[in-house]
Amino acid sequence: MVSEFKAAGLSSTRVRIAILSAIRASRTPLSAEAVGEELTRSGCTIGRASLFRNLDLFRSAGLIERIETGNRGNQYLAKCSGNHHHHHILCEKCRSIEPVDICLSTAMLKTIEQSTDYRVTGHSLMLYGLCRKCRKRKQSRRTD
Amino acid sequence: MVSEFKAAGLSSTRVRIAILSAIRASRTPLSAEAVGEELTRSGCTIGRASLFRNLDLFRSAGLIERIETGNRGNQYLAKCSGNHHHHHILCEKCRSIEPVDICLSTAMLKTIEQSTDYRVTGHSLMLYGLCRKCRKRKQSRRTD
DNA sequence: ATAATTTTTGATACCAAGTATCAATTTTCA
DNA sequence: TGAAAATTGATACTTGGTATCAAAAATTAT
């Protein structure tokens, strides 16, 4: 990890190693808050400022991904292997997130460019849905 | 507009008429703040609470669209005519927006449901690009 | 048209996520 | 090692939005 930081032009600090480890250790994406809690749990509480600063630095450096989940807080997760372009689906109920390995086709992008006369430079796609668990307990009482 | 409100089960107030007018008068999407400023400019300052409340009500009623632009605040815009599902492309430079009459195919959605085991209930797609004008004046100095 | 009822408004206080500042600490590297 | 550079974290602030609730406006019944 030290060399990864080096490669990204970031010095390798205890705080950074802890943050990136926590994100990589998690199977699911974590909110900034969740990362902080994870660190506290492992005996390495860090300041808010450092947390947000590093999440942003890591993202700029391509070490992690940030999923913009709309209104309330973003989610951070380790870059998926291969690192190719993809999207995510978010469960409306439990907020769990899965990668979705599908994307707009180049044909579609071409059609868009032709019909709008814009040059397309990027896009963001977020899918919403219900995960299997939440579909099953759809009728039961909420616990929140 | 009065009857539109009626149809949506909303009583028609001065504040609501002003908000919806401002959004409809704008060629580009407006942030909540921008809507407020617009109203102030036209001599009808309204409270924050009413603004956000009504933006949300209008969206629920299908009178406007909300574009979740990620980190900082949402954008609101009038529903395009015809009102069928579509997306938008936003010029990175001048922030002008055009509707994009294309969408994820049902086949694609089915693939996603199969590969993720989520039931897809919705999605948001935002395209980014450069409009023709901005492509042409790409090299010239910005005015902002 | 007026009164009674219902809805909406807006001032205020609040909240959550994130940023700015800057002195103190840590890391780097000569 | 020790000086220079980078990072940290306490604190205060900002932004975008929500909750509360009395006052005002809109609706409805008379």
Side-chain angles (χ1 to χ4, degrees):
Chain A
M1 199 142 68
V2 178
S3 58
E4 288 180 88
F5 284 136
K6 197 127 295 171
L10 298 169
S11 52
S12 129
T13 68
R14 215 159 31 83
V15 165
R16 284 184 183 156
I17 290 168
I19 294 174
L20 191 51
S21 301
I23 291 173
R24 289 197 172 154
S26 170
R27 198 181 33 78
T28 59
L30 300 174
S31 64
E33 202 196 354
V35 173
E37 282 165 7
E38 205 48 59
L39 297 203
T40 300
R41 205 165 297 130
S42 67
C44 168
T45 303
I46 69 163
R48 290 167 59 68
S50 295
L51 177 53
F52 283 107
R53 226 174 358 216
N54 282 313
L55 288 172
D56 202 52
L57 281 171
F58 290 0
R59 186 181 54 94
S60 302
L63 293 167
I64 63 173
E65 269 186 85
R66 184 173 74 193
I67 307 173
E68 307 198 332
T69 53
N71 243 346
R72 297 241 146 265
N74 297 309
Q75 303 279 113
Y76 300 85
L77 78 163
K79 275 258 163 127
C80 296
S81 61
N83 190 24
H84 70 293
H85 186 76
H86 66 283
H87 298 287
H88 295 94
I89 186 162
L90 172 71
C91 177
E92 288 175 343
K93 219 163 194 177
C94 68
R95 315 297 285 175
S96 69
I97 291 174
E98 285 293 325
V100 169
D101 198 0
I102 207 166
C103 193
L104 304 191
S105 65
T106 47
M108 212 177 219
L109 294 174
K110 194 158 219 165
T111 308
I112 293 169
E113 295 201 328
Q114 281 164 0
S115 70
T116 60
D117 201 10
Y118 278 52
R119 161 122 344 116
V120 177
T121 57
H123 64 270
S124 81
L125 171 62
M126 192 74 202
L127 290 135
Y128 304 97
L130 282 168
C131 71
R132 197 205 313 215
K133 274 188 198 159
C134 289
R135 249 158 35 227
K136 281 188 176 156
R137 60 175 124 86
K138 211 177 171 186
Q139 248 62 300
S140 39
R141 68 274 165 278
R142 303 287 299 272
T143 45
D144 47 330
Chain B
M1 198 143 68
V2 177
S3 58
E4 287 180 86
F5 284 135
K6 197 128 294 172
L10 297 170
S11 52
S12 128
T13 68
R14 216 159 31 82
V15 165
R16 285 183 182 156
I17 291 168
I19 294 174
L20 191 50
S21 301
I23 291 173
R24 289 194 173 157
S26 171
R27 194 181 37 78
T28 60
L30 300 173
S31 63
E33 202 197 354
V35 173
E37 282 166 7
E38 205 49 58
L39 297 202
T40 301
R41 204 166 298 129
S42 67
C44 168
T45 303
I46 68 162
R48 288 166 59 68
S50 295
L51 177 53
F52 283 106
R53 224 173 2 214
N54 282 313
L55 289 173
D56 203 51
L57 281 170
F58 291 0
R59 186 180 54 95
S60 302
L63 292 168
I64 62 172
E65 270 185 81
R66 183 175 73 193
I67 307 174
E68 306 197 332
T69 53
N71 240 347
R72 297 242 146 264
N74 298 310
Q75 303 279 115
Y76 300 87
L77 79 164
K79 275 258 163 130
C80 296
S81 63
N83 192 24
H84 71 293
H85 185 76
H86 66 283
H87 298 286
H88 295 95
I89 185 161
L90 175 70
C91 177
E92 289 176 342
K93 219 164 194 175
C94 68
R95 314 299 285 176
S96 69
I97 203 169
E98 286 292 324
V100 169
D101 198 0
I102 208 165
C103 192
L104 304 192
S105 65
T106 48
M108 213 177 220
L109 293 174
K110 195 159 220 168
T111 308
I112 292 168
E113 294 201 327
Q114 281 163 359
S115 70
T116 60
D117 201 11
Y118 277 53
R119 162 125 341 118
V120 177
T121 57
H123 64 269
S124 81
L125 171 62
M126 192 73 202
L127 291 136
Y128 304 98
L130 282 168
C131 71
R132 200 213 304 224
K133 275 187 198 160
C134 289
R135 249 158 34 228
K136 281 189 177 157
R137 57 173 126 86
K138 212 176 169 184
Q139 249 61 300
S140 40
R141 67 275 166 274
R142 303 286 299 271
T143 45
D144 49 332

